[in-house]
PDB file of all heavy atoms in Angstrom:
ATOM      1  N   ALA B 571      44.477  22.229  44.041  1.00 95.00           N
ATOM      2  CA  ALA B 571      44.403  20.875  43.484  1.00 95.00           C
ATOM      3  C   ALA B 571      44.999  19.866  44.453  1.00 95.00           C
ATOM      4  O   ALA B 571      46.005  20.136  45.113  1.00 95.00           O
ATOM      5  CB  ALA B 571      45.156  20.818  42.159  1.00 95.00           C
ATOM      6  N   GLY B 572      44.367  18.709  44.526  1.00 96.00           N
ATOM      7  CA  GLY B 572      44.837  17.676  45.418  1.00 96.00           C
ATOM      8  C   GLY B 572      45.963  16.861  44.773  1.00 96.00           C
ATOM      9  O   GLY B 572      46.009  16.727  43.566  1.00 96.00           O
ATOM     10  N   TYR B 573      46.868  16.317  45.622  1.00 95.00           N
ATOM     11  CA  TYR B 573      47.935  15.455  45.076  1.00 95.00           C
ATOM     12  C   TYR B 573      48.267  14.337  46.037  1.00 95.00           C
ATOM     13  O   TYR B 573      49.402  14.081  46.377  1.00 95.00           O
ATOM     14  CB  TYR B 573      49.171  16.290  44.714  1.00 95.00           C
ATOM     15  CG  TYR B 573      49.861  16.962  45.874  1.00 95.00           C
ATOM     16  CD1 TYR B 573      50.986  16.383  46.479  1.00 95.00           C
ATOM     17  CD2 TYR B 573      49.385  18.163  46.381  1.00 95.00           C
ATOM     18  CE1 TYR B 573      51.622  16.995  47.541  1.00 95.00           C
ATOM     19  CE2 TYR B 573      50.020  18.781  47.441  1.00 95.00           C
ATOM     20  CZ  TYR B 573      51.136  18.197  48.022  1.00 95.00           C
ATOM     21  OH  TYR B 573      51.749  18.802  49.087  1.00 95.00           O
ATOM     22  N   GLY B 574      47.248  13.658  46.514  1.00 96.00           N
ATOM     23  CA  GLY B 574      47.500  12.480  47.342  1.00 96.00           C
ATOM     24  C   GLY B 574      47.321  12.733  48.828  1.00 96.00           C
ATOM     25  O   GLY B 574      46.897  13.800  49.236  1.00 96.00           O
ATOM     26  N   ASN B 575      47.650  11.671  49.600  1.00 97.00           N
ATOM     27  CA  ASN B 575      47.436  11.744  51.038  1.00 97.00           C
ATOM     28  C   ASN B 575      48.407  12.717  51.687  1.00 97.00           C
ATOM     29  O   ASN B 575      49.582  12.777  51.325  1.00 97.00           O
ATOM     30  CB  ASN B 575      47.639  10.364  51.668  1.00 97.00           C
ATOM     31  CG  ASN B 575      46.533   9.418  51.223  1.00 97.00           C
ATOM     32  OD1 ASN B 575      45.539   9.863  50.629  1.00 97.00           O
ATOM     33  ND2 ASN B 575      46.717   8.130  51.487  1.00 97.00           N
ATOM     34  N   ALA B 576      47.885  13.487  52.644  1.00 97.00           N
ATOM     35  CA  ALA B 576      48.734  14.445  53.350  1.00 97.00           C
ATOM     36  C   ALA B 576      49.619  13.711  54.346  1.00 97.00           C
ATOM     37  O   ALA B 576      49.187  12.763  54.990  1.00 97.00           O
ATOM     38  CB  ALA B 576      47.858  15.464  54.057  1.00 97.00           C
ATOM     39  N   ALA B 587      43.954  23.594  57.603  1.00 98.00           N
ATOM     40  CA  ALA B 587      43.055  22.477  57.324  1.00 98.00           C
ATOM     41  C   ALA B 587      41.672  23.034  56.956  1.00 98.00           C
ATOM     42  O   ALA B 587      41.113  23.842  57.689  1.00 98.00           O
ATOM     43  CB  ALA B 587      42.948  21.579  58.554  1.00 98.00           C
ATOM     44  N   ILE B 588      41.174  22.601  55.797  1.00 98.00           N
ATOM     45  CA  ILE B 588      39.867  23.125  55.356  1.00 98.00           C
ATOM     46  C   ILE B 588      38.845  22.000  55.303  1.00 98.00           C
ATOM     47  O   ILE B 588      39.187  20.820  55.211  1.00 98.00           O
ATOM     48  CB  ILE B 588      39.994  23.816  53.974  1.00 98.00           C
ATOM     49  CG1 ILE B 588      40.574  22.854  52.932  1.00 98.00           C
ATOM     50  CG2 ILE B 588      40.842  25.081  54.077  1.00 98.00           C
ATOM     51  CD1 ILE B 588      40.650  23.431  51.534  1.00 98.00           C
ATOM     52  N   GLY B 589      37.578  22.396  55.362  1.00 98.00           N
ATOM     53  CA  GLY B 589      36.485  21.434  55.400  1.00 98.00           C
ATOM     54  C   GLY B 589      36.248  20.787  54.053  1.00 98.00           C
ATOM     55  O   GLY B 589      36.758  21.239  53.026  1.00 98.00           O
ATOM     56  N   PRO B 590      35.441  19.719  54.027  1.00 98.00           N
ATOM     57  CA  PRO B 590      35.243  18.925  52.808  1.00 98.00           C
ATOM     58  C   PRO B 590      34.672  19.719  51.629  1.00 98.00           C
ATOM     59  O   PRO B 590      34.957  19.371  50.480  1.00 98.00           O
ATOM     60  CB  PRO B 590      34.251  17.843  53.239  1.00 98.00           C
ATOM     61  CG  PRO B 590      34.142  17.904  54.703  1.00 98.00           C
ATOM     62  CD  PRO B 590      34.748  19.159  55.195  1.00 98.00           C
ATOM     63  N   ALA B 591      33.894  20.778  51.897  1.00 98.00           N
ATOM     64  CA  ALA B 591      33.270  21.498  50.783  1.00 98.00           C
ATOM     65  C   ALA B 591      34.033  22.765  50.423  1.00 98.00           C
ATOM     66  O   ALA B 591      33.726  23.410  49.423  1.00 98.00           O
ATOM     67  CB  ALA B 591      31.828  21.856  51.145  1.00 98.00           C
ATOM     68  N   PHE B 592      35.026  23.106  51.228  1.00 98.00           N
ATOM     69  CA  PHE B 592      35.694  24.397  51.105  1.00 98.00           C
ATOM     70  C   PHE B 592      36.353  24.563  49.724  1.00 98.00           C
ATOM     71  O   PHE B 592      37.141  23.755  49.282  1.00 98.00           O
ATOM     72  CB  PHE B 592      36.771  24.517  52.200  1.00 98.00           C
ATOM     73  CG  PHE B 592      37.340  25.911  52.352  1.00 98.00           C
ATOM     74  CD1 PHE B 592      36.884  26.757  53.355  1.00 98.00           C
ATOM     75  CD2 PHE B 592      38.338  26.381  51.511  1.00 98.00           C
ATOM     76  CE1 PHE B 592      37.409  28.031  53.508  1.00 98.00           C
ATOM     77  CE2 PHE B 592      38.867  27.645  51.644  1.00 98.00           C
ATOM     78  CZ  PHE B 592      38.406  28.484  52.643  1.00 98.00           C
ATOM     79  N   ARG B 594      35.348  24.107  46.846  1.00 96.00           N
ATOM     80  CA  ARG B 594      34.957  23.245  45.722  1.00 96.00           C
ATOM     81  C   ARG B 594      33.438  23.239  45.516  1.00 96.00           C
ATOM     82  O   ARG B 594      32.975  23.341  44.385  1.00 96.00           O
ATOM     83  CB  ARG B 594      35.506  21.826  45.870  1.00 96.00           C
ATOM     84  CG  ARG B 594      35.322  21.158  47.219  1.00 96.00           C
ATOM     85  CD  ARG B 594      35.992  19.780  47.260  1.00 96.00           C
ATOM     86  NE  ARG B 594      35.215  18.819  46.493  1.00 96.00           N
ATOM     87  CZ  ARG B 594      34.225  18.093  47.011  1.00 96.00           C
ATOM     88  NH1 ARG B 594      33.895  18.235  48.286  1.00 96.00           N
ATOM     89  NH2 ARG B 594      33.575  17.243  46.261  1.00 96.00           N
ATOM     90  N   ILE B 595      32.664  23.130  46.591  1.00 97.00           N
ATOM     91  CA  ILE B 595      31.196  23.204  46.481  1.00 97.00           C
ATOM     92  C   ILE B 595      30.747  24.566  47.005  1.00 97.00           C
ATOM     93  O   ILE B 595      30.122  25.346  46.302  1.00 97.00           O
ATOM     94  CB  ILE B 595      30.521  22.083  47.297  1.00 97.00           C
ATOM     95  CG1 ILE B 595      31.047  20.710  46.888  1.00 97.00           C
ATOM     96  CG2 ILE B 595      28.998  22.196  47.163  1.00 97.00           C
ATOM     97  CD1 ILE B 595      30.635  20.269  45.503  1.00 97.00           C
ATOM     98  N   VAL B 626      45.626  21.574  53.623  1.00 98.00           N
ATOM     99  CA  VAL B 626      45.203  20.162  53.697  1.00 98.00           C
ATOM    100  C   VAL B 626      43.673  20.123  53.757  1.00 98.00           C
ATOM    101  O   VAL B 626      43.059  20.937  54.427  1.00 98.00           O
ATOM    102  CB  VAL B 626      45.786  19.509  54.974  1.00 98.00           C
ATOM    103  CG1 VAL B 626      45.157  18.171  55.246  1.00 98.00           C
ATOM    104  CG2 VAL B 626      47.303  19.376  54.868  1.00 98.00           C
ATOM    105  N   ARG B 627      43.055  19.194  53.024  1.00 98.00           N
ATOM    106  CA  ARG B 627      41.604  19.061  53.141  1.00 98.00           C
ATOM    107  C   ARG B 627      41.257  17.879  54.051  1.00 98.00           C
ATOM    108  O   ARG B 627      41.784  16.786  53.893  1.00 98.00           O
ATOM    109  CB  ARG B 627      40.956  18.832  51.772  1.00 98.00           C
ATOM    110  CG  ARG B 627      39.409  18.782  51.886  1.00 98.00           C
ATOM    111  CD  ARG B 627      38.710  18.539  50.568  1.00 98.00           C
ATOM    112  NE  ARG B 627      39.059  19.475  49.526  1.00 98.00           N
ATOM    113  CZ  ARG B 627      38.612  20.724  49.428  1.00 98.00           C
ATOM    114  NH1 ARG B 627      37.804  21.219  50.359  1.00 98.00           N
ATOM    115  NH2 ARG B 627      38.987  21.491  48.438  1.00 98.00           N
ATOM    116  N   ILE B 628      40.388  18.152  54.998  1.00 98.00           N
ATOM    117  CA  ILE B 628      39.904  17.105  55.893  1.00 98.00           C
ATOM    118  C   ILE B 628      38.604  16.567  55.292  1.00 98.00           C
ATOM    119  O   ILE B 628      37.658  17.318  55.058  1.00 98.00           O
ATOM    120  CB  ILE B 628      39.645  17.666  57.309  1.00 98.00           C
ATOM    121  CG1 ILE B 628      40.877  18.406  57.837  1.00 98.00           C
ATOM    122  CG2 ILE B 628      39.195  16.554  58.255  1.00 98.00           C
ATOM    123  CD1 ILE B 628      42.149  17.593  57.893  1.00 98.00           C
ATOM    124  N   TRP B 629      38.552  15.278  55.032  1.00 98.00           N
ATOM    125  CA  TRP B 629      37.366  14.672  54.393  1.00 98.00           C
ATOM    126  C   TRP B 629      36.384  14.033  55.364  1.00 98.00           C
ATOM    127  O   TRP B 629      35.230  13.870  55.073  1.00 98.00           O
ATOM    128  CB  TRP B 629      37.810  13.605  53.376  1.00 98.00           C
ATOM    129  CG  TRP B 629      38.348  14.182  52.108  1.00 98.00           C
ATOM    130  CD1 TRP B 629      39.657  14.208  51.696  1.00 98.00           C
ATOM    131  CD2 TRP B 629      37.595  14.775  51.044  1.00 98.00           C
ATOM    132  NE1 TRP B 629      39.777  14.803  50.468  1.00 98.00           N
ATOM    133  CE2 TRP B 629      38.503  15.157  50.034  1.00 98.00           C
ATOM    134  CE3 TRP B 629      36.236  15.056  50.847  1.00 98.00           C
ATOM    135  CZ2 TRP B 629      38.112  15.779  48.852  1.00 98.00           C
ATOM    136  CZ3 TRP B 629      35.844  15.665  49.677  1.00 98.00           C
ATOM    137  CH2 TRP B 629      36.773  16.029  48.683  1.00 98.00           C
ATOM    138  N   ARG B 630      36.901  13.647  56.505  1.00 98.00           N
ATOM    139  CA  ARG B 630      36.065  12.796  57.368  1.00 98.00           C
ATOM    140  C   ARG B 630      35.193  13.578  58.343  1.00 98.00           C
ATOM    141  O   ARG B 630      34.417  12.987  59.081  1.00 98.00           O
ATOM    142  CB  ARG B 630      36.942  11.809  58.150  1.00 98.00           C
ATOM    143  CG  ARG B 630      37.517  10.734  57.252  1.00 98.00           C
ATOM    144  CD  ARG B 630      38.056   9.538  58.028  1.00 98.00           C
ATOM    145  NE  ARG B 630      38.445   8.493  57.083  1.00 98.00           N
ATOM    146  CZ  ARG B 630      39.696   8.074  56.917  1.00 98.00           C
ATOM    147  NH1 ARG B 630      40.678   8.592  57.631  1.00 98.00           N
ATOM    148  NH2 ARG B 630      39.951   7.126  56.031  1.00 98.00           N
ATOM    149  N   SER B 631      35.350  14.903  58.392  1.00 98.00           N
ATOM    150  CA  SER B 631      34.533  15.663  59.342  1.00 98.00           C
ATOM    151  C   SER B 631      34.234  17.062  58.810  1.00 98.00           C
ATOM    152  O   SER B 631      35.036  17.632  58.079  1.00 98.00           O
ATOM    153  CB  SER B 631      35.260  15.771  60.693  1.00 98.00           C
ATOM    154  OG  SER B 631      34.496  16.574  61.575  1.00 98.00           O
ATOM    155  N   SER B 632      33.085  17.560  59.204  1.00 98.00           N
ATOM    156  CA  SER B 632      32.746  18.953  58.896  1.00 98.00           C
ATOM    157  C   SER B 632      32.802  19.790  60.164  1.00 98.00           C
ATOM    158  O   SER B 632      32.432  20.955  60.158  1.00 98.00           O
ATOM    159  CB  SER B 632      31.343  19.019  58.283  1.00 98.00           C
ATOM    160  OG  SER B 632      30.408  18.465  59.192  1.00 98.00           O
ATOM    161  N   ASP B 633      33.243  19.175  61.247  1.00 98.00           N
ATOM    162  CA  ASP B 633      33.268  19.861  62.533  1.00 98.00           C
ATOM    163  C   ASP B 633      34.536  20.709  62.661  1.00 98.00           C
ATOM    164  O   ASP B 633      35.649  20.223  62.397  1.00 98.00           O
ATOM    165  CB  ASP B 633      33.220  18.814  63.652  1.00 98.00           C
ATOM    166  CG  ASP B 633      33.331  19.444  65.018  1.00 98.00           C
ATOM    167  OD1 ASP B 633      32.335  20.032  65.459  1.00 98.00           O
ATOM    168  OD2 ASP B 633      34.422  19.367  65.625  1.00 98.00           O
ATOM    169  N   GLU B 636      37.311  19.383  64.946  1.00 98.00           N
ATOM    170  CA  GLU B 636      37.937  18.164  64.405  1.00 98.00           C
ATOM    171  C   GLU B 636      38.844  18.504  63.218  1.00 98.00           C
ATOM    172  O   GLU B 636      39.950  17.977  63.091  1.00 98.00           O
ATOM    173  CB  GLU B 636      36.835  17.177  63.989  1.00 98.00           C
ATOM    174  CG  GLU B 636      37.336  15.889  63.362  1.00 98.00           C
ATOM    175  CD  GLU B 636      38.086  14.977  64.337  1.00 98.00           C
ATOM    176  OE1 GLU B 636      38.102  15.287  65.538  1.00 98.00           O
ATOM    177  OE2 GLU B 636      38.681  13.979  63.877  1.00 98.00           O
ATOM    178  N   ILE B 637      38.373  19.397  62.354  1.00 98.00           N
ATOM    179  CA  ILE B 637      39.185  19.804  61.210  1.00 98.00           C
ATOM    180  C   ILE B 637      40.507  20.396  61.708  1.00 98.00           C
ATOM    181  O   ILE B 637      41.604  20.043  61.238  1.00 98.00           O
ATOM    182  CB  ILE B 637      38.421  20.840  60.343  1.00 98.00           C
ATOM    183  CG1 ILE B 637      37.229  20.155  59.655  1.00 98.00           C
ATOM    184  CG2 ILE B 637      39.334  21.478  59.302  1.00 98.00           C
ATOM    185  CD1 ILE B 637      36.235  21.139  59.035  1.00 98.00           C
ATOM    186  N   VAL B 640      42.751  17.569  63.513  1.00 98.00           N
ATOM    187  CA  VAL B 640      43.422  16.658  62.569  1.00 98.00           C
ATOM    188  C   VAL B 640      44.566  17.405  61.880  1.00 98.00           C
ATOM    189  O   VAL B 640      45.670  16.881  61.691  1.00 98.00           O
ATOM    190  CB  VAL B 640      42.408  16.100  61.543  1.00 98.00           C
ATOM    191  CG1 VAL B 640      43.129  15.298  60.460  1.00 98.00           C
ATOM    192  CG2 VAL B 640      41.375  15.237  62.245  1.00 98.00           C
ATOM    193  N   LEU B 644      48.843  16.750  61.785  1.00 98.00           N
ATOM    194  CA  LEU B 644      49.671  16.652  60.580  1.00 98.00           C
ATOM    195  C   LEU B 644      50.770  17.720  60.562  1.00 98.00           C
ATOM    196  O   LEU B 644      51.754  17.603  59.834  1.00 98.00           O
ATOM    197  CB  LEU B 644      48.789  16.828  59.325  1.00 98.00           C
ATOM    198  CG  LEU B 644      47.810  15.699  59.042  1.00 98.00           C
ATOM    199  CD1 LEU B 644      46.798  16.115  57.980  1.00 98.00           C
ATOM    200  CD2 LEU B 644      48.575  14.444  58.604  1.00 98.00           C
ATOM    201  N   GLU B 728      27.975  21.179  53.822  1.00 97.00           N
ATOM    202  CA  GLU B 728      29.353  20.727  54.008  1.00 97.00           C
ATOM    203  C   GLU B 728      29.382  19.276  54.484  1.00 97.00           C
ATOM    204  O   GLU B 728      30.207  18.484  54.033  1.00 97.00           O
ATOM    205  CB  GLU B 728      30.085  21.624  55.007  1.00 97.00           C
ATOM    206  CG  GLU B 728      31.514  21.159  55.284  1.00 97.00           C
ATOM    207  CD  GLU B 728      32.507  22.310  55.299  1.00 97.00           C
ATOM    208  OE1 GLU B 728      32.659  22.943  56.364  1.00 97.00           O
ATOM    209  OE2 GLU B 728      33.114  22.586  54.252  1.00 97.00           O
ATOM    210  N   SER B 729      28.455  18.947  55.385  1.00 98.00           N
ATOM    211  CA  SER B 729      28.429  17.581  55.924  1.00 98.00           C
ATOM    212  C   SER B 729      28.114  16.565  54.821  1.00 98.00           C
ATOM    213  O   SER B 729      28.547  15.413  54.890  1.00 98.00           O
ATOM    214  CB  SER B 729      27.400  17.485  57.056  1.00 98.00           C
ATOM    215  OG  SER B 729      27.770  18.352  58.106  1.00 98.00           O
ATOM    216  N   GLU B 730      27.360  17.003  53.824  1.00 98.00           N
ATOM    217  CA  GLU B 730      27.053  16.103  52.697  1.00 98.00           C
ATOM    218  C   GLU B 730      28.303  15.725  51.914  1.00 98.00           C
ATOM    219  O   GLU B 730      28.314  14.737  51.184  1.00 98.00           O
ATOM    220  CB  GLU B 730      26.062  16.788  51.734  1.00 98.00           C
ATOM    221  CG  GLU B 730      24.627  16.727  52.198  1.00 98.00           C
ATOM    222  CD  GLU B 730      23.691  17.488  51.260  1.00 98.00           C
ATOM    223  OE1 GLU B 730      24.167  18.144  50.312  1.00 98.00           O
ATOM    224  OE2 GLU B 730      22.474  17.428  51.492  1.00 98.00           O
ATOM    225  N   GLU B 731      29.356  16.537  52.068  1.00 98.00           N
ATOM    226  CA  GLU B 731      30.593  16.285  51.315  1.00 98.00           C
ATOM    227  C   GLU B 731      31.584  15.418  52.080  1.00 98.00           C
ATOM    228  O   GLU B 731      32.689  15.148  51.602  1.00 98.00           O
ATOM    229  CB  GLU B 731      31.248  17.625  50.938  1.00 98.00           C
ATOM    230  CG  GLU B 731      30.441  18.423  49.934  1.00 98.00           C
ATOM    231  CD  GLU B 731      30.149  17.641  48.660  1.00 98.00           C
ATOM    232  OE1 GLU B 731      31.089  17.057  48.079  1.00 98.00           O
ATOM    233  OE2 GLU B 731      28.959  17.590  48.273  1.00 98.00           O
ATOM    234  N   ILE B 732      31.189  14.998  53.261  1.00 98.00           N
ATOM    235  CA  ILE B 732      32.094  14.145  54.054  1.00 98.00           C
ATOM    236  C   ILE B 732      32.330  12.822  53.316  1.00 98.00           C
ATOM    237  O   ILE B 732      31.389  12.218  52.795  1.00 98.00           O
ATOM    238  CB  ILE B 732      31.514  13.887  55.458  1.00 98.00           C
ATOM    239  CG1 ILE B 732      31.490  15.185  56.263  1.00 98.00           C
ATOM    240  CG2 ILE B 732      32.285  12.800  56.192  1.00 98.00           C
ATOM    241  CD1 ILE B 732      30.801  15.074  57.608  1.00 98.00           C
ATOM    242  N   ARG B 733      33.581  12.414  53.228  1.00 98.00           N
ATOM    243  CA  ARG B 733      33.941  11.140  52.590  1.00 98.00           C
ATOM    244  C   ARG B 733      34.860  10.360  53.529  1.00 98.00           C
ATOM    245  O   ARG B 733      35.604  10.961  54.307  1.00 98.00           O
ATOM    246  CB  ARG B 733      34.701  11.387  51.267  1.00 98.00           C
ATOM    247  CG  ARG B 733      33.981  12.263  50.260  1.00 98.00           C
ATOM    248  CD  ARG B 733      32.862  11.501  49.530  1.00 98.00           C
ATOM    249  NE  ARG B 733      32.233  12.361  48.542  1.00 98.00           N
ATOM    250  CZ  ARG B 733      31.181  13.144  48.775  1.00 98.00           C
ATOM    251  NH1 ARG B 733      30.651  13.188  49.983  1.00 98.00           N
ATOM    252  NH2 ARG B 733      30.677  13.881  47.821  1.00 98.00           N
ATOM    253  N   ASP B 734      34.809   9.065  53.363  1.00 98.00           N
ATOM    254  CA  ASP B 734      35.695   8.241  54.203  1.00 98.00           C
ATOM    255  C   ASP B 734      37.075   8.162  53.554  1.00 98.00           C
ATOM    256  O   ASP B 734      37.496   7.125  53.047  1.00 98.00           O
ATOM    257  CB  ASP B 734      35.079   6.853  54.386  1.00 98.00           C
ATOM    258  CG  ASP B 734      35.861   6.032  55.414  1.00 98.00           C
ATOM    259  OD1 ASP B 734      36.654   6.653  56.179  1.00 98.00           O
ATOM    260  OD2 ASP B 734      35.688   4.819  55.457  1.00 98.00           O
ATOM    261  N   LEU B 735      37.744   9.295  53.571  1.00 98.00           N
ATOM    262  CA  LEU B 735      39.072   9.396  52.938  1.00 98.00           C
ATOM    263  C   LEU B 735      40.044  10.030  53.922  1.00 98.00           C
ATOM    264  O   LEU B 735      39.641  10.833  54.755  1.00 98.00           O
ATOM    265  CB  LEU B 735      38.999  10.291  51.684  1.00 98.00           C
ATOM    266  CG  LEU B 735      38.158   9.793  50.514  1.00 98.00           C
ATOM    267  CD1 LEU B 735      38.005  10.893  49.471  1.00 98.00           C
ATOM    268  CD2 LEU B 735      38.825   8.549  49.907  1.00 98.00           C
ATOM    269  N   PRO B 736      41.322   9.712  53.795  1.00 98.00           N
ATOM    270  CA  PRO B 736      42.321  10.356  54.660  1.00 98.00           C
ATOM    271  C   PRO B 736      42.516  11.821  54.253  1.00 98.00           C
ATOM    272  O   PRO B 736      42.124  12.204  53.153  1.00 98.00           O
ATOM    273  CB  PRO B 736      43.594   9.549  54.412  1.00 98.00           C
ATOM    274  CG  PRO B 736      43.410   8.937  53.078  1.00 98.00           C
ATOM    275  CD  PRO B 736      41.940   8.725  52.886  1.00 98.00           C
ATOM    276  N   PRO B 737      43.116  12.633  55.115  1.00 98.00           N
ATOM    277  CA  PRO B 737      43.386  14.026  54.764  1.00 98.00           C
ATOM    278  C   PRO B 737      44.156  14.117  53.456  1.00 98.00           C
ATOM    279  O   PRO B 737      45.056  13.316  53.201  1.00 98.00           O
ATOM    280  CB  PRO B 737      44.217  14.538  55.939  1.00 98.00           C
ATOM    281  CG  PRO B 737      43.865  13.657  57.082  1.00 98.00           C
ATOM    282  CD  PRO B 737      43.580  12.313  56.486  1.00 98.00           C
ATOM    283  N   GLU B 738      43.785  15.094  52.627  1.00 98.00           N
ATOM    284  CA  GLU B 738      44.358  15.205  51.293  1.00 98.00           C
ATOM    285  C   GLU B 738      45.308  16.400  51.214  1.00 98.00           C
ATOM    286  O   GLU B 738      44.956  17.501  51.656  1.00 98.00           O
ATOM    287  CB  GLU B 738      43.220  15.384  50.282  1.00 98.00           C
ATOM    288  CG  GLU B 738      43.690  15.401  48.848  1.00 98.00           C
ATOM    289  CD  GLU B 738      42.515  15.630  47.870  1.00 98.00           C
ATOM    290  OE1 GLU B 738      41.436  16.074  48.325  1.00 98.00           O
ATOM    291  OE2 GLU B 738      42.709  15.371  46.682  1.00 98.00           O
ATOM    292  N   ALA B 739      46.465  16.156  50.667  1.00 97.00           N
ATOM    293  CA  ALA B 739      47.410  17.260  50.451  1.00 97.00           C
ATOM    294  C   ALA B 739      46.924  18.097  49.286  1.00 97.00           C
ATOM    295  O   ALA B 739      46.478  17.572  48.276  1.00 97.00           O
ATOM    296  CB  ALA B 739      48.801  16.698  50.143  1.00 97.00           C
ATOM    297  N   LEU B 740      46.960  19.440  49.464  1.00 97.00           N
ATOM    298  CA  LEU B 740      46.473  20.335  48.417  1.00 97.00           C
ATOM    299  C   LEU B 740      47.594  21.263  47.999  1.00 97.00           C
ATOM    300  O   LEU B 740      48.363  21.758  48.831  1.00 97.00           O
ATOM    301  CB  LEU B 740      45.284  21.161  48.908  1.00 97.00           C
ATOM    302  CG  LEU B 740      43.992  20.398  49.267  1.00 97.00           C
ATOM    303  CD1 LEU B 740      42.969  21.367  49.831  1.00 97.00           C
ATOM    304  CD2 LEU B 740      43.422  19.684  48.044  1.00 97.00           C
TER     305      LEU B 740
END
Side-chain angles (χ1 to χ4, degrees):
Chain B
Y573 64 97
N575 292 349
I588 57 176
F592 192 99
R594 47 184 286 271
I595 305 291
V626 168
R627 184 181 305 283
I628 307 303
W629 284 107
R630 289 196 173 115
S631 177
S632 58
D633 176 75
E636 178 68 7
I637 291 167
V640 173
L644 291 168
E728 178 136 85
S729 298
E730 280 177 355
E731 292 304 311
I732 293 174
R733 305 283 182 270
D734 188 16
L735 295 170
E738 185 182 16
L740 295 176

